[in-house]
Amino acid sequence: MEVALLSFSPSLSPLCHNRTLTLTPNLSKTPNYPRLPVIRSAVSRSKKEETVETVKSHLENCHLLAAINYKGLTVKQFQDLRRTLPDTTKLVVAKNTLVYKAIEGTKWEALKPCMKGMNAWLFVQTDEIPSAIKPYRSFQKERKLEDNDFAGAVFEGKFYAPDNFKALETMPTRAEVYAKMLGALQSPAINLVSTLQAPAIEVIMVLKAYVKKLEDESNAA
């Protein structure tokens, strides 16, 4: 940068009169300001790791994990929605990349088709799936949030697309399974008693087999 001074006093020597004095600043020496410590990237990495661990902790004892398209929802709507959910259901907002990092290599990895768009994640920690899904369905209907639908879910390692959610929402409850199983068992009472007195794992296997039978009959219909 050059600065030209063109105005001089008439009393100056004729040699200096009407001369142009050019000042060129010395730019070779720039001030050495102290650098601030770079901590933003460290904080960001720490937050990401914390989010991944939160997702992993919610997956413990989780029966169903669902993605909900939350684009356009306000903070107040999120607060209202959380108040409608039972204690056995958690709603978490997290980036797709971080959620996938938490579920990679697990049975929940089947949720990979949902890793796009803006998702909130519903962790259902009860086997009563219909009653866990119903609060969001009611909220969605009351607020007319047709665009904020389920993007998909994983239950027992199987992926359910939005078109298949009816199968989840109409699953029989535990009480209904027990009632139907007892009604379907036409063997003598002594055999029924022996079945119920068997080790818990055997009873669970019987129940799961019967649930699968009901689902197969429902799909066939």
Side-chain angles (χ1 to χ4, degrees):
M1 181 179 67
E2 294 185 350
V3 180
L5 303 180
L6 303 177
S7 178
F8 292 88
S9 171
S11 62
L12 293 176
S13 167
L15 295 176
C16 297
H17 192 59
N18 291 331
R19 287 187 179 182
T20 300
L21 177 62
T22 301
L23 303 178
T24 303
N26 185 0
L27 301 178
S28 62
K29 295 182 179 181
T30 56
N32 294 323
Y33 296 110
R35 292 188 176 184
L36 296 176
V38 181
I39 61 174
R40 181 176 299 176
S41 59
V43 172
S44 177
R45 184 168 57 252
S46 176
K47 291 287 290 182
K48 290 179 180 179
E49 292 173 353
E50 182 181 340
T51 300
V52 172
E53 291 305 314
T54 297
V55 172
K56 288 182 178 180
S57 67
H58 285 320
L59 288 175
E60 296 177 6
N61 301 319
C62 187
H63 291 260
L64 177 141
L65 174 58
I68 299 174
N69 175 18
Y70 78 92
K71 185 177 181 180
L73 290 182
T74 65
V75 174
K76 186 178 185 306
Q77 285 175 322
F78 262 111
Q79 293 173 342
D80 293 342
L81 173 58
R82 281 195 171 102
R83 281 193 286 267
T84 67
L85 299 176
D87 294 337
T88 54
T89 304
K90 309 296 181 185
L91 184 66
V92 175
V93 177
K95 290 184 177 181
N96 298 333
T97 53
L98 300 180
V99 172
Y100 186 73
K101 186 175 181 179
I103 66 176
E104 191 175 11
T106 71
K107 64 180 181 180
W108 305 106
E109 192 175 2
L111 202 60
K112 188 175 181 179
C114 296
M115 297 299 155
K116 55 186 177 181
M118 301 174 64
N119 292 313
W121 307 93
L122 193 70
F123 297 81
V124 177
Q125 296 171 331
T126 174
D127 56 2
E128 298 288 356
I129 304 302
S131 61
I133 296 176
K134 186 176 179 180
Y136 181 73
R137 280 300 191 206
S138 300
F139 179 85
Q140 183 186 24
K141 185 177 180 180
E142 291 171 2
R143 305 300 177 93
K144 298 180 180 180
L145 302 172
E146 291 82 4
D147 294 334
N148 300 106
D149 201 358
F150 287 102
V154 171
F155 175 65
E156 293 188 341
K158 178 182 176 181
F159 176 74
Y160 289 78
D163 294 341
N164 304 128
F165 256 71
K166 186 177 180 180
L168 295 173
E169 296 175 272
T170 58
M171 285 181 61
T173 64
R174 189 187 300 111
E176 290 172 340
V177 169
Y178 288 161
K180 290 182 178 180
M181 183 185 71
L182 293 174
L185 292 176
Q186 298 178 355
S187 57
I190 188 170
N191 290 340
L192 175 60
V193 171
S194 63
T195 298
L196 295 179
Q197 290 179 342
I201 185 64
E202 294 183 15
V203 176
I204 292 174
M205 290 176 64
V206 170
L207 292 176
K208 283 191 173 184
Y210 190 74
V211 169
K212 188 177 186 306
K213 178 176 178 294
L214 293 177
E215 290 177 345
D216 292 340
E217 291 175 353
S218 177
N219 292 335

